[in-house]
Amino acid sequence: MSMGSSKGYPQTGVAVTCRSFEEYVRMFDLEDVDLHACGKLLDIAAGASSFTADACERGLDAYAVDPRYAKLSEQLAAEAREEIDVSTAKLMSVGGKYDLSYYGSFEQHRAGRIRSLESFAAQYSRDEERKKRYLAGSLPSLPYSDGEFGIVLCSHFLFLYEDQFDYEFHLRAVMEMIRVCKPGGIVRIYPIVSLRWEPYSELERLRSDLGRNGVTTGLFQSKLPFIPGSELGLFAQF
């Protein structure tokens, strides 16, 4: 997608994201009772988001996986800081399209990204915490055991990058999320629109194929519809 696109967010490659615990709760419509009763939580393609660090501060047992965790903490933090500046400029270039009801302004949106990065970096820079909670890995093959987590989340990766990852990747990725989630646990993906702000084109095919594999799927209402058309997310359960 070129910078001159009239519709959508211009992006080459997968961006490193910085989002907070509070944003995750709203994005994924998570209930406090579920968070505290589920056991272990997993954030997939977590980037420099502070969900794991923030959750741990709240007494939850949270973990994160991302291919960028092969990098040193200083390298990852520098990449995330650069992405915050770049993404803010992109957002402001098409500012009228986004829902700022939660953030208030792009300045506050940027400030939240910085706070999230700082919280993430504080935990990630501690060797013991990094080795315990942050693993380098990526869909569709995660470095975890079957049924290890009670809640498995994937924010702003699957479906969003539809133009970069084909249907088979998405099917295998969701099945992998199911694999590492314990039976009856919570698997949620948000959003279900692409960077072109269009619904994922293969969603019904995906849900049908997942159903044939014994996976129940449905849609949930997000409480943080920042991206145009991003009111819904996908849940899956085995």
Side-chain angles (χ1 to χ4, degrees):
M1 184 185 302
S2 69
M3 289 293 291
S5 295
S6 59
K7 181 180 180 182
Y9 180 85
Q11 176 66 36
T12 300
V14 177
V16 55
T17 62
C18 305
R19 290 182 175 86
S20 68
F21 180 88
E22 291 83 0
E23 288 172 283
Y24 272 63
V25 168
R26 293 179 69 92
M27 283 191 301
F28 291 108
D29 192 24
L30 299 172
E31 299 291 338
D32 190 66
V33 63
D34 292 326
L35 288 167
H36 284 87
C38 71
K40 297 170 67 175
L41 293 73
L42 179 62
D43 183 11
I44 299 173
S49 291
S50 61
F51 174 77
T52 295
D54 297 342
C56 289
E57 288 186 358
R58 290 164 170 77
L60 301 172
D61 192 18
Y63 300 80
V65 61
D66 192 288
R68 288 184 170 95
Y69 297 156
K71 298 183 178 184
L72 297 175
S73 58
E74 297 83 359
Q75 292 176 311
L76 181 50
E79 182 179 343
R81 281 193 296 270
E82 181 180 359
E83 180 62 36
I84 290 171
D85 291 336
V86 170
S87 63
T88 299
K90 292 179 184 178
L91 291 171
M92 293 181 72
S93 71
V94 288
K97 302 291 186 178
Y98 288 86
D99 185 342
L100 287 168
S101 56
Y102 174 76
Y103 299 105
S105 68
F106 286 117
E107 290 76 14
Q108 290 175 280
H109 179 275
R110 182 181 184 278
R113 293 288 171 270
I114 293 172
R115 288 193 299 271
S116 180
L117 171 57
E118 290 173 346
S119 180
F120 161 81
Q123 185 181 57
Y124 188 77
S125 63
R126 299 195 294 269
D127 286 347
E128 185 176 348
E129 286 290 278
R130 182 173 67 255
K131 291 175 182 177
K132 177 182 180 180
R133 300 198 179 275
Y134 296 88
L135 289 184
S138 59
L139 292 168
S141 181
L142 299 175
Y144 300 107
S145 302
D146 294 356
E148 189 169 340
F149 300 93
I151 294 181
V152 179
L153 307 172
C154 186
S155 160
H156 293 80
F157 174 60
L158 290 179
F159 310 142
L160 193 68
Y161 293 92
E162 177 180 3
D163 291 340
Q164 298 183 41
F165 299 93
D166 65 14
Y167 173 76
E168 291 303 321
F169 173 87
H170 280 84
L171 177 60
R172 291 172 60 204
V174 179
M175 289 301 299
E176 181 70 349
M177 293 178 69
I178 290 289
R179 182 188 70 79
V180 301
C181 188
K182 65 184 180 183
I186 295 171
V187 173
R188 293 191 182 180
I189 302 165
Y190 177 83
I192 54 174
V193 297
S194 72
L195 289 168
R196 288 177 278 107
W197 304 338
E198 296 173 352
Y200 176 57
S201 63
E202 299 273 23
L203 184 61
E204 291 311 310
R205 177 187 176 191
L206 177 71
R207 294 183 65 184
S208 178
D209 285 346
L210 290 170
R212 281 192 284 271
N213 282 280
V215 178
T216 299
T217 62
L219 303 179
F220 66 87
Q221 188 82 31
S222 174
K223 295 177 179 177
L224 187 59
F226 175 64
I227 299 172
S230 65
E231 293 82 6
L232 300 174
L234 178 74
F235 73 80
Q237 193 169 30
F238 184 76

